[in-house]
Amino acid sequence: MTSVALAVTDGMLHYELSVAYEVFGSAPGAVTVPWYELAVCAPHPVRLGHFRLSPDHGLDHLRHADTVIVPGWADVDVPPPRSLLTALRAAHDAGARIVSLCTGAFVLAAAGLLDGRRATTHWAHTDVLAARHPAIEVDPDVLYLGHGTVFTSAGKSAALDLCLHLVRLDHGSAIANTVARRLVVPPHRAGGQAQFVTAPVPDQNDHPLTALFPWIIERLDQPLSVEDLARQARMSSRHLSRHFRAATGTTPLQWLLAQRIRHAQELLERTDDDIDTVARSTGMGTATTLRRHFNRALGVPPDAYRRTFRSRADEAPPGAAGPASVGPTVPERQGHRR
């Protein structure tokens, strides 16, 4: 997936477009693998809020891209232009990966690309999307979804989560985390997390879980129970679960499992440790347990995941670090209800 095209017309939201441009426009300095070729495609110079944007290509260029991204659609009651819908269908028929950010899902729906698929959008508009397009299985409770080669995200920050997820599918977890560090955002929020939580992952010094998160990350190789976490946080298990749900949209053990899997991805990409060693290093205990959880979360066994990203590393040019040029994506199942 080496080329990315941003499909833009009047009436789109500039925030989601800026997110995609920031992620795919240039590689962080620490990343030396071949990066994406990014193009802005529009039928003419377009106005996005107070900004005016001159495109690199017309909409007909979309069919030549590996990935096509549709930013948020400002007014979901206004039909998208027919030229955009035609260009998106042509890109999909040509084999492109089609991605919508936030209310961009309404554009994909109007093009018929979401019929028979699971999809999501900003939680404030999921009922409208479901009522208007009954052939779509709308899930209002997730951050992002991937169904085949079509991806949709919820609003604003979830758009960034999906963009980082695509980098992770293409280049591996280590490089996606490098991009996240440059953007100063958490490295991974799984698509199945709830859209609406009462607070973001806490970074305030006075939040009751502020010190707990790094404490857990440093001990992923150890068996940890909810009682262990509650004892460290100096609160009851019930209060811990309540704070965790409010801060992350998931339970302590589900969050812990996600961090173990994320760490396993990094070890599989960056070390020669055998599966038993990776299982012990991530607190999974045995290779059987690691394979079960890894396959359930990512859709592939750890051995296949390693072969995919190691084969890309073997193809890297001299001096390149980490997984190399983008080949077939590793399938990842996202959007499971928590």
Side-chain angles (χ1 to χ4, degrees):
M1 298 291 176
T2 56
S3 60
V4 175
L6 303 181
V8 185
T9 65
D10 293 324
M12 288 186 168
L13 299 172
H14 58 79
Y15 175 84
E16 286 77 6
L17 185 143
S18 300
V19 164
Y21 201 95
E22 185 67 25
V23 171
F24 298 105
S26 60
V31 174
T32 57
V33 300
W35 203 240
Y36 303 91
E37 298 174 3
L38 182 67
V40 176
C41 300
H44 47 67
V46 297
R47 182 171 293 281
L48 306 174
H50 298 292
F51 302 96
R52 191 168 181 82
L53 182 67
S54 296
D56 302 307
H57 301 281
L59 291 176
D60 58 343
H61 184 76
L62 297 182
R63 68 178 183 270
H64 301 297
D66 297 310
T67 297
V68 174
I69 298 178
V70 179
W73 187 243
D75 189 342
V76 299
D77 293 324
V78 174
R82 184 174 300 177
S83 60
L84 174 60
L85 304 183
T86 300
L88 288 172
R89 294 189 197 103
H92 180 261
D93 291 343
R97 180 170 62 185
I98 309 295
V99 180
S100 70
L101 305 179
C102 192
T103 49
F106 282 84
V107 180
L108 269 56
L113 299 181
L114 298 182
D115 289 352
R117 303 178 190 269
R118 290 180 67 212
T120 193
T121 188
H122 191 289
W123 62 267
H125 301 286
T126 50
D127 288 345
V128 176
L129 183 64
R132 193 175 295 169
H133 301 278
I136 303 172
E137 183 184 348
V138 179
D139 192 335
D141 298 326
V142 296
L143 294 178
Y144 54 86
L145 283 167
H147 191 140
T149 57
V150 180
F151 291 75
T152 56
S153 84
K156 302 303 178 185
S157 62
L160 178 55
D161 290 319
L162 176 53
C163 289
L164 290 174
H165 173 64
L166 297 175
V167 174
R168 186 174 298 105
L169 290 178
D170 294 342
H171 286 295
S173 181
I175 288 181
N177 291 346
T178 299
V179 177
R181 282 193 294 272
R182 181 189 69 176
L183 300 175
V184 197
V185 295
H188 183 218
R189 291 200 300 171
Q193 288 192 36
Q195 281 197 37
F196 185 79
V197 294
T198 58
V201 175
D203 58 6
Q204 305 97 321
N205 291 332
D206 59 349
H207 192 284
L209 299 185
T210 297
L212 183 62
F213 285 102
W215 184 87
I216 295 172
I217 296 300
E218 292 172 1
R219 292 164 176 80
L220 291 178
D221 60 332
Q222 302 176 19
L224 295 172
S225 66
V226 173
E227 290 72 23
D228 294 328
L229 306 187
R231 190 178 305 112
Q232 177 64 24
R234 298 181 180 179
M235 63 180 67
S236 69
S237 298
R238 178 177 297 181
H239 279 91
L240 175 75
S241 296
R242 185 179 300 122
H243 282 299
F244 237 94
R245 176 71 70 176
T248 69
T250 188
T251 68
L253 291 184
Q254 288 168 336
W255 186 87
L256 174 60
L257 178 59
Q259 306 315 305
R260 294 191 194 280
I261 293 171
R262 177 192 58 78
H263 188 38
Q265 288 179 271
E266 293 183 351
L267 293 176
L268 290 167
E269 293 170 19
R270 306 180 72 152
T271 75
D272 294 320
D273 294 346
D274 58 34
I275 302 302
D276 288 296
T277 302
V278 172
R280 290 192 298 271
S281 299
T282 57
M284 300 281 192
T286 67
T288 300
T289 301
L290 171 61
R291 287 190 175 97
R292 182 174 71 252
H293 288 300
F294 199 94
N295 195 45
R296 182 181 300 163
L298 303 183
V300 291
D303 315 70
Y305 182 91
R306 167 173 274 167
R307 283 196 300 272
T308 298
F309 287 108
R310 283 302 179 89
S311 66
R312 295 176 192 177
D314 291 342
E315 298 167 3
S325 58
V326 208
T329 60
V330 175
E332 182 164 355
R333 295 189 300 196
Q334 293 291 352
H336 300 297
R337 291 183 181 273
R338 298 277 176 165

